[in-house]
Amino acid sequence: MNQQDHTKPDHPIAVRNAPGDSAIVVVCEHASAHIPTRFADLGLAPEVRQSHAVWDPGALAVAEGLAERLGATLVAATVSRLVYDCNRPPDAPDAMPARSEVIRVPGNEGLSDAERAERAHRYYTPFRETLREVVAGKSAPILVTMHSFTPIYHGQTRAVEIGILHDADTRLADALLEAAEGTTALQVARNEPYGPEHGVTHTLRDQALPQGHPNVMIEIRNDLLTTPEDQDKIAELLAGWLRVACARIGESPCTA
């Protein structure tokens, strides 16, 4: 894949396959577990620093697999969601959470307004602006954001295995759910395990809804993504669904 990585402190983003033959832009906001040294691991214990609290395990590999198969451009964050969650606006409390589920994040406790603003300027603003430029470079863009979720949350087991999430624009989600029917034994559900009421559709709201671009957020339960083979299998499944879904809504995923 054609790759251009921007990892300077003022531009902590990876953009891959930037020219991209496809209209699809794949986004992975929680791609990385990296915590820059200036944050001293946010005070987290070593066993926590690779947990789902810090990033979305397997999501980047699936996003890369989708981009490979569809000729899509991939935009991924390169720092942990705990440093800054690029799927949240700066005024959201969980943009820099002091707690993630049951995990305390000491390095995010008691942040001043100036410290929050500095992180937003360093991480969120360049991510948002870069993604906006990539989307604007497509004549008829289709936005697909890729995430993974933990099988157990606050002690509750989640039965759903693939979530197809949407906000006000349901076109692509509807078509994906139709495309999934009869193709997998996995449990696929609409707006599960989260929905727009949980604030998880920020990127869709910011980058697609105002312009009327087809968009969807895909969540994969991370126990389905434990090996490269698992990740490749899911990427292949989703790529097939997306081809069918885009055709059903009259969009071509392979047209820049």
Side-chain angles (χ1 to χ4, degrees):
M1 181 184 294
N2 227 358
Q3 178 168 323
Q4 184 180 12
D5 285 330
H6 303 278
T7 54
K8 297 181 297 181
D10 61 339
H11 208 95
I13 299 148
V15 179
R16 302 177 185 176
N17 199 24
D21 296 328
S22 174
I24 291 178
V25 178
V26 180
V27 184
C28 195
E29 302 101 319
H30 304 157
S32 177
H34 175 62
I35 300 173
T37 55
R38 64 196 292 261
F39 296 111
D41 294 326
L42 293 173
L44 299 171
E47 63 271 17
V48 173
R49 293 201 295 269
Q50 289 295 319
S51 73
H52 183 75
V54 178
W55 68 320
D56 281 4
L60 178 60
V62 175
E64 290 173 334
L66 277 181
E68 291 276 5
R69 287 166 171 81
L70 299 173
T73 301
L74 170 63
V75 179
T78 61
V79 296
S80 166
R81 61 197 287 174
L82 295 183
V83 173
Y84 190 96
D85 186 335
C86 287
N87 193 30
R88 298 293 189 279
D91 60 352
D94 52 353
M96 293 152 270
R99 179 173 291 273
S100 179
E101 192 186 2
V102 298
I103 296 171
R104 208 180 128 232
V105 188
N108 286 349
E109 293 177 345
L111 292 176
S112 67
D113 289 346
E115 288 171 324
R116 291 179 66 88
E118 195 276 336
R119 284 205 209 172
H121 174 74
R122 183 181 290 261
Y123 301 110
Y124 174 73
T125 299
F127 181 88
R128 183 187 191 213
E129 291 178 350
T130 298
L131 178 54
R132 192 175 301 283
E133 290 172 7
V134 170
V135 170
K138 308 288 185 180
S139 59
I142 300 165
L143 195 68
V144 178
T145 67
M146 181 58 55
H147 294 259
S148 71
F149 64 94
T150 182
I152 299 174
Y153 188 68
H154 284 290
Q156 298 297 312
T157 300
R158 290 159 155 173
V160 64
E161 293 168 298
I162 300 180
I164 306 297
L165 282 61
H166 60 79
D167 203 280
D169 182 352
T170 71
R171 290 173 295 168
L172 187 52
D174 290 344
L176 266 175
L177 287 162
E178 291 175 10
E181 289 181 8
T183 67
T184 181
L186 297 173
Q187 183 166 330
V188 183
R190 181 191 300 270
N191 282 342
E192 292 288 347
Y194 312 105
E197 68 274 18
H198 301 111
V200 300
T201 55
H202 170 66
T203 297
L204 305 185
R205 291 178 179 179
D206 186 60
Q207 300 280 344
L209 290 183
Q211 302 83 5
H213 304 322
N215 62 89
V216 72
M217 177 177 176
I218 302 176
E219 286 268 8
I220 311 297
R221 207 173 67 190
N222 66 28
D223 58 336
L224 302 175
L225 304 175
T226 56
T227 69
E229 292 76 19
D230 293 337
Q231 296 156 3
D232 193 64
K233 181 178 178 180
I234 292 293
E236 180 70 20
L237 182 68
L238 295 179
W241 293 356
L242 279 165
R243 291 188 188 99
V244 172
C246 288
R248 286 185 177 177
I249 64 172
E251 302 285 347
S252 171
C254 297
T255 300

